[in-house]
Amino acid sequence: MAHAPSSSSASSNVPWVEKYRPKNLDEVAAHKDIVDTIKRLARESKLPHLLLYGPPGTGKTSTVLALAQSMYGKHVKAMTLSLNASDDRGIDVVRRQIQDFASTRRLGSDDGPAFSLIILDECDAMTREAQMALRRVIEKYAKRTRFALICNQVSRLIPAIQSRCTRFRFAPLPVDCALARVKEVAAAENVELTDGGASALVKLSQGDMRRVLNTLQSAHLAHAKVDEEAVYATTGAPRPVDTERAMKSLLNASVSEAVKDIRHLQEARGISLLDLVRELLPYTMRIQGVPSGARARCLANLADTEHRISLGCAEKTQIGGVVAAFVELRDELVAVAQ
Ligand SMILES: Nc1ncnc2c1ncn2[C@@H]1O[C@H](COP(=O)(O)OP(=O)(O)O)[C@@H](O)[C@H]1O
Ligand SMILES: [Mg+2]
């Protein structure tokens, strides 16, 4: 795969997410079925309005930009209008810009498509009224333009817009695709990335390739070698050994000791309680010999605690909530053992 030349002093400030954005459709990792379908539709000049949705960092924007590039070549600037709906939320701005763009005759190459492309990124940020207006705009200009809508949450779009587009869901990147990609970028940037480091990057990013590359770049700035330790230090996420230690306290220490241990763990390693709670979940699933009712209540309590932390409740108080979630579990474990 061809990459931009690796970091010279001039380009070393460029975020790697931009530097390694797929330049053509073949460079988009995973989502091969989607890319093939879009390619075929474009080749047969049957491109419908597109709606690409799914979690961040999965290649939605990159796919649309690469599609525009492949359709228009050197005319791409003249033939596409790219709007970010979270910047220009008001429909008036959108309508005026779209109107200005769509009502001027666009000159592409003779063998290129006859229509121009309007990209509306993050369109789930649009208000309902704006979406209603957008629906009419799409219809009015459908003859000479195609719309490519991009969003995270498709359920925030009104049905009338959804039904005017062909929908493609971008799933989080599978582990093997993300691993392969991050290793390529590391090699191109001369980063010493260990296997443990690569696995940690991918695990912590949960299929978000933007996060993988951003974390890789930050870790590389701070550490000569990007191994598992460096990745965890960069993100401040609890390492498996931290989570195991917390788990041990929660299951064995007294309530006050457990609170103290967790507080100590947080202070020593700069771990947020939210991250810790999320990491505790899989461990809680794996504890042996717990009656399922007790496990379920513990999980529900952890989920409530996570919700309260994310609402902004004080972490110090919520440590009590985490500890309390395990007290009941412990009692049941003891009862089973007797
Ligand atoms: N499928 C993918 N293949 C290769 N790189 C990807 C992919 N998805 C995301 N990336 C990387 O993450 C960055 C952000 O991707 P982007 O297409 O903007 O994501 P989205 O629009 O889905 O949030 C890209 O610049 C690229 O470096
Ligand atoms: Mg995007």
Side-chain angles (χ1 to χ4, degrees):
M1 185 177 301
H3 279 307
S6 92
S7 56
S8 68
S9 57
S11 65
S12 60
N13 291 332
V14 182
W16 292 350
V17 280
E18 287 311 325
K19 191 167 166 189
Y20 296 99
R21 189 184 279 287
K23 309 232 168 0
N24 56 59
L25 287 169
D26 294 323
E27 278 189 28
V28 175
H31 318 310
K32 196 171 172 339
D33 292 349
I34 299 180
V35 169
D36 283 349
T37 307
I38 293 180
K39 256 198 216 159
R40 182 169 45 78
L41 290 168
R43 201 176 43 233
E44 295 169 0
S45 302
K46 286 185 195 151
L47 197 75
H49 298 306
L50 302 174
L51 170 56
L52 277 49
Y53 68 100
T58 50
K60 301 179 296 296
T61 304
S62 305
T63 299
V64 171
L65 294 179
L67 168 70
Q69 185 65 44
S70 78
M71 289 193 305
Y72 302 121
K74 63 183 196 301
H75 300 286
V76 68
K77 278 225 167 73
M79 296 298 286
T80 55
L81 171 68
S82 187
L83 299 172
N84 192 312
S86 63
D87 297 337
D88 309 311
R89 287 182 55 152
I91 186 62
D92 289 340
V93 182
V94 172
R95 196 155 32 186
R96 203 176 52 242
Q97 293 196 45
I98 292 176
Q99 195 144 5
D100 284 353
F101 177 81
S103 53
T104 344
R105 224 188 140 64
R106 306 269 136 199
L107 290 177
S109 56
D110 295 336
D111 52 352
F115 53 82
S116 54
L117 185 71
I118 297 181
I119 304 168
L120 264 178
D121 211 339
E122 305 190 18
C123 61
D124 47 357
M126 291 177 101
T127 60
R128 231 190 117 74
E129 290 70 42
Q131 290 188 32
M132 299 296 275
L134 177 64
R135 180 182 73 164
R136 287 192 295 277
V137 172
I138 292 181
E139 248 156 29
K140 188 165 167 199
Y141 298 108
K143 239 180 160 177
R144 271 186 287 152
T145 56
R146 291 293 177 281
F147 282 79
L149 308 183
I150 303 174
C151 70
N152 296 140
Q153 224 88 47
V154 75
S155 59
R156 289 208 205 126
L157 295 187
I158 58 173
I161 289 199
Q162 293 186 35
S163 67
R164 277 167 176 72
C165 305
T166 304
R167 294 162 38 153
F168 296 97
R169 176 170 182 274
F170 279 63
L173 255 70
V175 169
D176 51 343
C177 291
L179 271 179
R181 184 75 179 166
V182 74
K183 284 179 182 170
E184 275 169 22
V185 172
E189 290 291 336
N190 293 319
V191 178
E192 194 185 338
L193 174 66
T194 67
D195 283 343
S199 302
L201 279 170
V202 169
K203 174 168 175 264
L204 290 172
S205 305
Q206 309 212 327
D208 178 343
M209 201 60 210
R210 181 184 292 113
R211 209 157 126 197
V212 171
L213 295 183
N214 278 334
T215 312
L216 175 70
Q217 192 167 15
S218 313
H220 176 58
L221 279 177
H223 304 269
K225 183 161 90 175
V226 180
D227 53 13
E228 188 179 15
E229 186 69 29
V231 172
Y232 279 103
T234 304
T235 56
R239 302 168 300 177
V241 35
D242 297 323
T243 315
E244 276 154 27
R245 199 169 298 158
M247 205 66 201
K248 212 165 149 199
S249 278
L250 288 165
L251 289 177
N252 299 297
S254 69
V255 169
S256 60
E257 282 294 322
V259 169
K260 224 191 301 172
D261 285 350
I262 291 193
R263 224 142 89 196
H264 178 73
L265 193 65
Q266 280 198 282
E267 278 158 16
R269 306 221 24 115
I271 295 168
S272 83
L273 192 60
L274 198 61
D275 286 340
L276 183 63
V277 170
R278 285 177 182 160
E279 287 298 314
L280 284 174
L281 282 179
Y283 285 82
T284 309
M285 300 297 288
R286 287 201 295 266
I287 307 170
Q288 306 264 315
V290 185
S292 51
R295 197 194 304 278
R297 279 190 294 280
C298 180
L299 290 171
N301 287 336
L302 283 178
D304 284 345
T305 309
E306 189 211 25
H307 181 61
R308 286 194 296 266
I309 303 169
S310 62
L311 284 181
C313 296
E315 289 209 353
K316 267 191 181 157
T317 330
Q318 295 310 316
I319 293 176
V322 177
V323 174
F326 285 92
V327 169
E328 201 187 338
L329 188 81
R330 279 160 61 164
D331 289 349
E332 299 242 8
L333 269 174
V334 171
V336 169
Q338 278 167 356

